[in-house]
Amino acid sequence: MKSDIDRRLLIKGATLGLGAMATPGFATSMLRQGFTHSVASGEPDAHSVLLWTRFASAGDTRLTAEISEDLNFIRKVSGGSVTASGARDHIAKITLDGLTPNRWYFYRFIAPDGQISPIGRTRTLPDGPTQRFNLGVFSCSNLPFGYFNAYAHAAARNDLDLILHLGDYLYEYPRGTYPSLKDALPGRLIQPDHETLDLADYRLRYASYRADPDLQRLHQVYPMVAQWDDHELTNDAWTGGAQNHDPGEGDWTVRKKMAEQVYREWMPVRDRAENAPQYTKYEIGDLATIFRTESRISGRDEPAELAAALIGKSDAQAALTRFKNEVWQDENRSMLGGAQEQWLSNGMAASKKSGKSWQIWAQQCVMGPLRLPDETANWIPGDAPGFIKQRAQIGVLAAQAGMPFNFDAWDGYPAARRKALAAAQQAESDLIMLSGDSHNSWAFDLEHDGHAVGVEFAGQSVTSPGFESFTKGIPADKVERALMETNDTLKWTDIAHRGYMSVTLTPYMATSHFHNLATITEKSTALLGTKSFSVQRGRRQMVAA
């Protein structure tokens, strides 16, 4: 009971502390001096946690960080000083240690002039025997498409231990592009109004997103483990470029470096030394290992493009066969790169050997295989844009040739997928894949060579539109049924709703709950419903919970 009371007091105090910033929104937060964007914590382990804030001033400001066992900061247990540097957009981050495992703490920052930040709540990871651990899992939050009600719902709970954000924390497009001006929710304006291309652009975009009170609240009450997907850089990014980057927008290497710099400034994540790995892991006592991988810019080869392979070819069937055998099935094409693949393979084996119940792979793109049903072309409305119709036609053509429709997901890298699943199988791991990116909910059994390897829970978006935006006028359940009939390992899907997942881990059972919000077009935390699936340790196949 005491934990719940402390949490309610924290929320009340934080709301009062945010005051003027939460009401006028982004413009007010950027004009203010002092603590402009509340607080956040992240990347915990059993004895330490990273703390984050932003303190705007005319120059650098030395802040004091404090961690306490109580909300009144009488029983302080750790602290330190850190500079909110103008060179880093006035961001301050500090990792404090000496903490007790599996414990909730309160934290704050204090400025030299006596200003005190909003109080945050965080916790350390367990060490040793662990009977239960709860994750909140999010991805794909496009601010102009709607309210971040999923964040608000999770922040109002008191039963989560850690937040995973699997990418597309924000979007890089200019105002009026995804969504169009007519589809954008009034008042949900992004800054800058143009595409994010340079350091100032990326910083301003993060500042406009982080002014959202529901996102601030989520960061304030839970620690987060996060990794970017593509839109934190630009659409369909890979090591050497991106779909939404052309030479006229500057050097890709420079843009990529700037995007990572600002991500590490504005997110509660550790800074990275040059050439250091982008991936890491988190130990949840004796219960699980969470592997957080990077599948965009450190090792991903350029996505294959079936449309490009077919354009201008007089013999479409020959071109299709050549693409399938020589490009799509190329054994050398990678999502992670060799070093990360080996690290993950070794890590799963070590986790299993140590007796941990679950090997959790937190990553960005859907791994389960997805082919389009033959009737897909009939679902596209007549007034749909030409590129949508073309995409559907090519997707059906690919399915008839035994290929997927989304080559930017793991489906586009079948050799790399086989290698990853083979490693999980060899380690005899109890693999749970947690994925984002697609904007829809998917529950897959993962197989290799006809044997069960694990399960995938791929979560719906916070606000970004899903599959239903391409099939307007067709009942969602009809589309979902056809997708499951076409794809044997797909056990369930929801293509029409926004929300988030929560995942409950126990020594012998793991359960994912897909929470669908009733709306994103007005502020509400009402749930439309929740669908749950479980997997028993050692079974590596899911059942409806």
Side-chain angles (χ1 to χ4, degrees), residues 103-116:
R103 178 164 192 143
W104 287 103
Y105 290 99
F106 298 99
Y107 65 94
R108 66 184 181 184
F109 293 85
I110 303 173
D113 63 2
Q115 290 187 64
I116 300 176

Side-chain angles (χ1 to χ4, degrees), residues 23 123 129 158 231 328 337 355 362 523:
T23 304
R123 69 166 295 150
N158 200 42
H231 290 289
W328 182 57
K523 287 186 70 66

Side-chain angles (χ1 to χ4, degrees), residues 413-437:
Y413 302 80
R417 177 169 56 194
R418 287 193 296 270
K419 188 182 297 185
L421 293 179
Q425 184 181 51
Q426 184 174 0
E428 297 183 340
S429 69
D430 282 88
L431 175 64
I432 299 176
M433 178 81 76
L434 300 178
S435 313
D437 183 59

Side-chain angles (χ1 to χ4, degrees), residues 3 32 67 273 341 373 414 435 438 456:
S3 173
R32 288 181 65 200
I67 292 183
E341 288 176 347
S435 313
S438 78
E456 179 176 28

Side-chain angles (χ1 to χ4, degrees), residues 137-138 150 153-154 157 460 498-502 513-515 517:
V137 186
F138 297 85
H153 186 276
R157 298 173 59 161
Q460 67 275 57
R498 314 281 72 84
Y500 72 105
M501 293 189 295
S502 62
H513 310 280
F514 295 84
H515 305 291
L517 274 296

Side-chain angles (χ1 to χ4, degrees), residues 125-407:
L125 300 183
D127 184 19
T130 305
Q131 294 302 307
R132 189 181 186 90
F133 197 82
N134 294 324
L135 301 166
V137 186
F138 297 85
S139 64
C140 306
S141 44
N142 189 316
L143 188 145
F145 268 117
Y147 290 107
F148 291 161
N149 292 333
Y151 292 153
H153 186 276
R157 298 173 59 161
N158 200 42
D159 61 346
L160 299 177
D161 299 303
L162 179 68
I163 299 299
L164 300 180
H165 203 293
L166 303 181
D168 295 346
Y169 183 91
L170 49 65
Y171 286 72
E172 83 283 9
Y173 295 116
R175 194 181 298 171
T177 298
Y178 199 67
S180 65
L181 291 177
K182 71 177 182 65
D183 290 331
L185 198 64
R188 302 285 285 175
L189 293 178
I190 51 171
Q191 297 287 348
D193 60 2
H194 54 270
E195 184 178 342
T196 55
L197 294 173
D198 60 25
L199 200 66
D201 292 339
Y202 281 104
R203 283 173 170 171
L204 196 53
R205 187 60 58 89
Y206 276 94
S208 69
Y209 268 70
R210 288 292 294 274
D212 181 271
D214 295 320
L215 178 52
Q216 286 190 10
R217 190 69 48 76
L218 185 75
H219 276 300
Q220 186 184 4
V221 299
Y222 292 119
M224 178 180 284
V225 165
Q227 181 60 280
W228 60 67
D229 190 21
D230 54 341
H231 290 289
E232 291 88 345
L233 299 102
T234 192
N235 185 54
D236 289 358
W238 56 285
T239 301
Q243 177 275 327
N244 193 28
H245 182 83
D246 60 57
E249 294 175 324
D251 183 87
W252 168 244
T253 302
V254 173
R255 184 178 185 181
K256 181 170 59 173
K257 186 175 182 179
M258 288 189 300
E260 178 177 351
Q261 175 183 329
V262 178
Y263 184 87
R264 295 194 182 280
E265 288 172 352
W266 274 87
M267 297 293 288
V269 299
R270 298 176 196 275
D271 294 328
R272 184 178 69 94
E274 190 171 357
N275 299 321
Q278 301 273 18
Y279 44 87
T280 191
K281 64 179 181 176
Y282 301 87
E283 303 294 351
I284 313 300
D286 66 352
L287 184 60
T289 303
I290 299 176
F291 299 94
R292 188 203 68 191
T293 56
E294 196 287 314
S295 60
R296 279 292 172 186
I297 59 173
S298 57
R300 180 193 281 247
D301 291 316
E302 184 174 9
E305 292 189 28
L306 178 55
L310 296 178
I311 291 175
K313 300 298 190 296
S314 57
D315 188 342
Q317 188 58 51
L320 188 66
T321 301
R322 190 179 312 112
F323 174 86
K324 179 179 180 179
N325 296 332
E326 298 178 11
V327 179
W328 182 57
Q329 289 284 6
D330 184 350
E331 290 290 331
N332 295 316
R333 297 183 68 252
S334 178
M335 279 275 276
L336 303 178
Q340 189 172 191
E341 288 176 347
Q342 191 61 53
W343 169 83
L344 180 61
S345 176
N346 292 343
M348 286 192 290
S351 176
K352 183 67 178 181
K353 187 176 181 179
S354 72
K356 295 186 190 294
S357 297
W358 308 105
Q359 287 68 51
I360 312 292
W361 185 358
Q363 54 91 55
Q364 290 66 54
C365 298
V366 174
M367 177 171 270
L370 272 173
R371 290 180 292 112
L372 287 182
D374 290 339
E375 60 264 42
T376 299
N378 299 327
W379 296 340
I380 309 302
D383 60 352
F387 79 93
I388 297 295
K389 295 178 181 178
Q390 182 189 57
R391 186 179 298 173
Q393 292 168 350
I394 290 176
V396 171
L397 187 64
Q400 292 170 348
M403 289 189 292
F405 70 94
N406 184 7
F407 293 93

